[in-house]
Amino acid sequence: MKVYISFDMEGVSGIVDWEQCTGSGPAVSMGQELTLAEINAAIDGALTAGATEFVVNDAHYRMQNLDPRLLHGDATYISGAHKPGYMMEGLSADFDVIFFIGYHGSISGVPSVMSHSYSPSVFTELRVNGIEVGESGVNALAALGYRVPIGLISGDCATASQAKPIMGQAIMVQVKDSITRFAASNLHPHRAHKLIAEAAERAVEMAATIALPAIELPATITMSFQTADQAELASWIAGVERTELRSCTIHGQDPLALYRTFVGVCYLTRQAQGR
């Protein structure tokens, strides 16, 4: 049984400010420790259910947030920001189930701690087949392309509600209630770890029965940008169509091709940002 884990940090219990996940010093050290503990809890639960192999992909910020020596389950750790698969680097068809740990709500949705959609300086909204999605919804295209089910998603309430239309059979673990974009009521980490471990165990046990992401093909990703310049930049990429002053779409039959094109848009527009 092979488990793929893509992790972010904003959805981890106890993290409520950028300084805890993009800064330096004691604040970010604590954020990294909290994140590592939730990932290890997921691995421990999956081990209990018989999982034997783990790949952990660092999908946050500069994507080098963990000490790999401290990962449970002898997990392989994928780190570094320049990855063609981005938040889903390392996924392949030989995995049995996917976990999304520490995910968060979209910037266009209800209040969610540190909500954004890939880059808060670029995207104002993302939709897949007309459905407003967070990062999990776009990443689900990679899961669909490799035909690997998503079994577990952890984060806040917005994370769960935005994932449900596409990943309805995934076990949703809510580790905090967002109050505003920079405040939340957080479960005690020990409680969060227990819930994540239990959910990971169940997700592994039921992996063979979990449906693939509910994304009808051909599919369309609709991207709304902060500026018209960013939409213009995105349209330079093959397969991206400029539809409005600040909007573009990617349309196609192949979910992996859609996802890879979107990753290209992310990298190009992030370089320009607001300049």
Side-chain angles (χ1 to χ4, degrees):
M1 170 65 73
K2 192 172 181 180
V3 178
Y4 178 86
I5 300 175
S6 169
F7 78 87
D8 213 338
M9 289 181 67
E10 292 89 351
V12 170
S13 182
I15 293 180
V16 294
D17 189 86
W18 297 119
E19 189 66 21
Q20 293 176 279
C21 52
T22 62
S24 59
V28 76
S29 294
M30 181 182 71
Q32 290 167 344
E33 290 173 6
L34 291 169
T35 302
L36 174 67
E38 290 198 3
I39 295 164
N40 280 340
I43 293 174
D44 289 342
L47 283 168
T48 301
T52 56
E53 188 174 351
F54 301 90
V55 172
V56 175
N57 180 39
D58 194 324
H60 176 74
Y61 192 41
R62 293 175 181 167
M63 303 184 180
Q64 48 183 1
N65 296 288
L66 301 183
D67 183 340
R69 298 170 296 181
L70 302 180
L71 281 169
H72 290 189
D74 293 329
T76 297
Y77 178 48
I78 300 175
S79 59
H82 292 165
K83 300 180 291 192
Y86 206 40
M87 295 185 77
M88 301 300 283
E89 179 65 31
L91 182 64
S92 58
D94 61 339
F95 284 89
D96 297 286
V97 68
I98 295 167
F99 296 168
F100 289 155
I101 301 297
Y103 271 51
H104 54 81
S106 72
I107 196 168
S108 56
V110 298
S112 179
V113 166
M114 287 177 288
S115 59
H116 63 281
S117 301
Y118 289 87
S119 174
S121 63
V122 174
F123 297 108
T124 60
E125 185 181 70
L126 296 172
R127 291 182 177 268
V128 173
N129 287 347
I131 299 171
E132 180 186 317
V133 295
E135 292 172 359
S136 66
V138 177
N139 294 346
L141 286 162
L144 179 61
Y146 286 114
R147 303 193 65 77
V148 184
I150 298 166
L152 166 62
I153 304 171
S154 70
D156 70 349
C157 183
T159 309
S161 64
Q162 289 173 352
K164 191 171 183 179
I166 291 175
M167 296 151 276
Q169 288 187 287
I171 300 170
M172 309 288 182
V173 180
Q174 185 177 335
V175 300
K176 58 187 175 185
D177 278 312
S178 292
I179 299 169
T180 65
R181 196 162 180 249
F182 295 103
S185 174
N186 301 277
L187 292 183
H188 189 284
H190 292 169
R191 177 62 177 158
H193 303 161
K194 184 175 186 293
L195 292 176
I196 289 171
E198 292 171 348
E201 182 177 356
R202 295 200 310 274
V204 167
E205 291 172 345
M206 60 188 283
T209 66
I210 300 173
L212 294 175
I215 300 174
E216 186 176 348
L217 299 173
T220 300
I221 304 173
T222 303
M223 304 167 289
S224 298
F225 298 90
Q226 296 279 2
T227 69
D229 284 346
Q230 291 164 342
E232 171 65 20
L233 281 173
S235 71
W236 297 353
I237 296 175
V240 178
E241 180 183 357
R242 182 93 173 263
T243 53
E244 296 181 22
L245 183 64
R246 293 189 295 110
S247 297
C248 293
T249 62
I250 310 168
H251 181 78
Q253 181 69 34
D254 181 352
L256 283 177
L258 287 168
Y259 179 75
R260 288 166 181 157
T261 301
F262 176 76
V263 168
V265 171
C266 286
Y267 276 119
L268 181 60
T269 54
R270 179 171 287 176
Q271 292 303 311
Q273 294 188 6
R275 296 191 295 272

